[in-house]
């Protein structure tokens, strides 16, 4: 935990930010940066409606600001990873549609997370989506409904997407793990290893134009790196030939509105890549 805390402070420093903690509970420092408690957190105070440093783009009450205004230039290249090839997972590569993958996910018992689930959450969206968002894993609301990002973090994600003129229904939303970890803890390496082949298969079927990785778990799972979120932001990574942008998890933004401004920059980079 001391490690996590040090990493958090380092990320703050990298962002040039003051250390600001909003609704931060003792003993949960591991969730400070980039990672989400995935909603339904009764201890969490409501975030201020507008934070002084947060961007208008992600806070606007009267319709989103024009994302083009002051958008950062597209940054240089970061990490490149090759997605697994079909021959590496023959069983999954036989699944020809997203619905077929979802059906297997719903019956999956490949890791212990199956024990605690109400519903698996395979993901949802427009099968022709050009933008795919990858989160961490289901929280309580998602587990109850079987749908990704439907709690408070989900509402914020919807707003973020609208701010770059990508209505949620035209995107596709996926997670690193498809079943809810107990107490909304981060998924463990073994759980990620068991589940991530589904994500790779879904991405192979979707063939998006841009991937947005929300939070440390998504970034680490897709890019197979242990770099911090602060180190991964501000670069365009590659997943095969698909550009991948890393940003904060919406649940992290609920706790720390200071991260809204950098997130607004990140998603505007992703938005430009959609047009590129
Ligand atoms: N947080 C996530 O990472 N995924 C969800 O689906 C919901 C909240
Ligand atoms: Fe299967 Fe993934 Fe659920 Fe684990 S989390 S049981 S691997 S679907």
């Amino acid at each position: 935990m001391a490690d996590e805390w040090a990493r958090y402070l380092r990320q703050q420093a990298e962002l040039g930010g003051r250390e600001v903690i909003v609704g931060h509970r003792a003993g949960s420092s591991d969730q400070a940066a980039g990672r989400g408690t995935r909603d339904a957190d009764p201890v969490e105070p409501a975030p201020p409606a507008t934070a002084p440093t947060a961007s208008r783009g992600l806070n606007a009450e009267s319709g989103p600001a024009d994302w083009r205004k002051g958008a950062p230039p597209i940054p240089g290249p970061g990490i490149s990873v090759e997605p697994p090839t079909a021959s590496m997972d023959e069983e999954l590569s036989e699944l020809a549609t997203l619905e077929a993958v979802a059906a297997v996910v719903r019956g999956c018992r490949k890791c212990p997370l199956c024990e605690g689930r109400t519903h698996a959450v395979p993901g949802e969206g427009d099968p022709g989506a050009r933008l795919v968002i990858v989160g961490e894993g289901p929280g309580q609301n998602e587990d109850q409904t079987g749908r990704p990002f439907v709690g408070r973090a989900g509402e914020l994600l919807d707003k973020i997407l609208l701010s770059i003129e990508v209505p949620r229904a035209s995107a596709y939303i996926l997670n690193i793990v498809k079943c809810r970890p107990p107490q909304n803890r981060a998924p463990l390496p073994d759980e990620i290893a068991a589940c991530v082949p589904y994500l790779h298969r879904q991405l192979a079927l979707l063939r998006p134009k841009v991937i947005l990785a929300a939070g440390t778990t998504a970034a680490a799972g897709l890019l197979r790196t242990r770099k911090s979120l602060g180190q991964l932001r501000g670069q365009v990574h590659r997943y095969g030939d698909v550009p991948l942008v890393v940003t904060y998890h919406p649940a992290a933004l609920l706790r720390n509105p200071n991260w809204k401004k950098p997130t607004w920059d990140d998603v505007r980079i992703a938005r430009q890549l959609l047009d590129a």
Side-chain angles (χ1 to χ4, degrees), residues 20 30 49 54 63 146 158 172 176 183 186 203 246 259:
V20 176
D30 59 330
D158 293 358
Y172 210 98
I176 294 283
Q183 281 90 46
L203 289 170
V246 172
W259 285 328

Side-chain angles (χ1 to χ4, degrees), residues 119-121 124 138 141-150 168:
H119 295 104
V121 182
E124 70 178 23
N141 293 298
E142 291 77 19
D143 176 69
Q144 292 295 319
T145 58
R147 299 183 53 210
F149 279 102
V150 289
R168 175 186 170 116

Side-chain angles (χ1 to χ4, degrees), residues 127-245:
R130 295 188 314 141
L131 178 66
V132 169
I133 298 97
V134 179
E136 181 174 283
Q140 186 178 16
N141 293 298
E142 291 77 19
D143 176 69
Q144 292 295 319
T145 58
R147 299 183 53 210
F149 279 102
V150 289
R152 270 179 58 213
E155 279 172 31
L156 182 53
L157 177 63
D158 293 358
K159 270 196 204 168
I160 292 170
L161 291 175
L162 266 186
S163 79
I164 51 166
E165 295 180 296
V166 178
R168 175 186 170 116
S170 72
Y172 210 98
I173 304 180
L174 294 169
N175 280 306
I176 294 283
V177 296
K178 316 300 192 195
C179 304
R180 182 192 184 198
Q183 281 90 46
N184 291 346
R185 66 157 167 76
L188 302 173
D190 283 356
E191 295 159 356
I192 294 173
C195 206
V196 84
Y198 295 122
L199 175 64
H200 290 306
R201 184 63 191 144
Q202 290 170 312
L203 289 170
L205 290 166
L206 281 161
R207 295 165 49 82
K209 181 119 196 252
V210 178
I211 298 170
L212 181 68
T216 312
T217 301
L222 284 167
L223 296 174
R224 291 182 238 122
T225 177
R226 299 182 67 172
K227 286 190 175 178
S228 71
L229 200 88
Q231 288 171 311
L232 294 168
R233 288 191 51 250
Q235 292 170 325
V236 178
H237 309 286
R238 296 238 153 221
Y239 176 87
D241 56 8
V242 185
L244 184 153
V245 171

